[in-house]
Amino acid sequence: METLIATVLIMVIFILSSLILNNLFASTVKHNMRAIKAKTNELEYLYINKKIELPFQGDFENWTITITNTRNSKIVKMKAFNDMSNQLIEKDLQKK
């Protein structure tokens, strides 16, 4: 009887820990922003060196990236919107 209870407890602990780890890994993958930040930095570099024309719109993985002029003549807006998670990244660029 003790062996059966110990086995059930071990199984329950193993199942709970695997569910927790699965949730952590899924959350890490879903909220990983490294690739989009690298892409926005690349686009900022291209804008500063006048390699892209404004207004700019492009897609990167699940992100839609737009770069537009603002009413303020010294600032350009960069926006990246994730279609799946509804995340928005905004960045102001100085005109050169």
Side-chain angles (χ1 to χ4, degrees):
M1 186 67 176
E2 296 89 16
T3 307
L4 181 63
I5 292 173
T7 304
V8 169
L9 284 175
I10 290 172
M11 295 283 290
V12 168
I13 290 171
F14 177 74
I15 291 170
L16 286 175
S17 63
S18 65
L19 289 173
I20 290 170
L21 287 174
N22 186 29
N23 190 19
L24 284 173
F25 290 139
S27 176
T28 301
V29 168
K30 184 177 180 183
H31 292 85
N32 186 3
M33 305 283 280
R34 183 175 290 175
I36 188 64
K37 287 188 179 187
K39 184 65 174 177
T40 57
N41 287 338
E42 176 188 354
L43 290 172
E44 180 178 2
Y45 174 82
L46 291 173
Y47 169 72
I48 289 171
N49 291 299
K50 298 180 178 160
K51 301 291 182 184
I52 57 175
E53 299 286 326
L54 294 186
F56 172 84
Q57 183 169 358
D59 293 325
F60 177 72
E61 295 179 0
N62 296 326
W63 294 85
T64 302
I65 303 169
T66 58
I67 305 173
T68 56
N69 289 318
T70 59
R71 291 184 180 148
N72 185 346
S73 62
K74 295 183 180 182
I75 296 177
V76 172
K77 279 273 197 204
M78 178 187 296
K79 293 182 183 180
F81 180 72
N82 190 327
D83 301 324
M84 296 182 75
S85 65
N86 292 331
Q87 292 176 312
L88 178 66
I89 298 173
E90 292 183 317
K91 194 173 190 181
D92 292 336
L93 307 176
Q94 297 294 324
K95 278 192 175 180
K96 296 287 178 178

